């Protein structure tokens, strides 16, 4: 599943396809919030948040900042 999502994101990034990146975001959000979802699927967004720069098109459009936990003192945990 993760590889499929990564391929969708790559295609969306290459084409700057807002519909496709929004669809990928919806999938990531659903996985992150589903209680009966496999744990490795729930963590895909957090993994991507650690791979894309915060100022990238993908990071911004997938809203990957929602998958980053800010600890007390401002330290990020992914």
């Amino acid at each position: 599943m993760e590889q499929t999502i990564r391929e969708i994101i790559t295609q969306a990034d290459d084409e700057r396809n807002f519909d496709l990146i929004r669809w990928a975001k919806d999938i990531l959000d659903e996985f992150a919030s589903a209680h009966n979802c496999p744990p490795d699927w729930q963590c895909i967004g957090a993994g991507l948040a650690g791979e894309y720069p915060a100022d990238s098109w993908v990071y911004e459009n997938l809203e990957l900042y929602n998958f980053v936990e800010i600890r007390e003192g401002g330290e990020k945990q992914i």
Side-chain angles (χ1 to χ4, degrees):
M1 182 56 68
E2 181 174 352
Q3 186 59 38
T4 301
I5 291 172
R6 287 178 179 280
E7 290 173 8
I8 292 167
I9 292 168
T10 298
Q11 181 179 347
D13 189 26
D14 290 346
E15 299 172 3
R16 289 299 195 253
N17 185 327
F18 287 100
D19 291 330
L20 196 54
I21 200 78
R22 178 59 59 180
W23 186 63
K25 180 195 175 309
D26 291 344
I27 292 170
L28 292 174
D29 289 346
E30 191 66 32
F31 285 168
S33 64
H35 296 290
N36 59 350
C37 185
D40 57 328
W41 291 12
Q42 290 177 330
C43 299
I44 295 173
L48 293 169
E51 294 176 26
Y52 286 94
D55 61 348
S56 71
W57 185 85
V58 170
Y59 192 97
E60 182 179 319
N61 285 283
L62 288 178
E63 298 177 8
L64 293 176
Y65 46 80
N66 289 325
F67 295 96
V68 177
E69 179 182 324
I70 306 294
R71 293 181 176 177
E72 221 173 290
E75 181 182 329
K76 288 184 182 179
Q77 177 182 334
I78 299 176

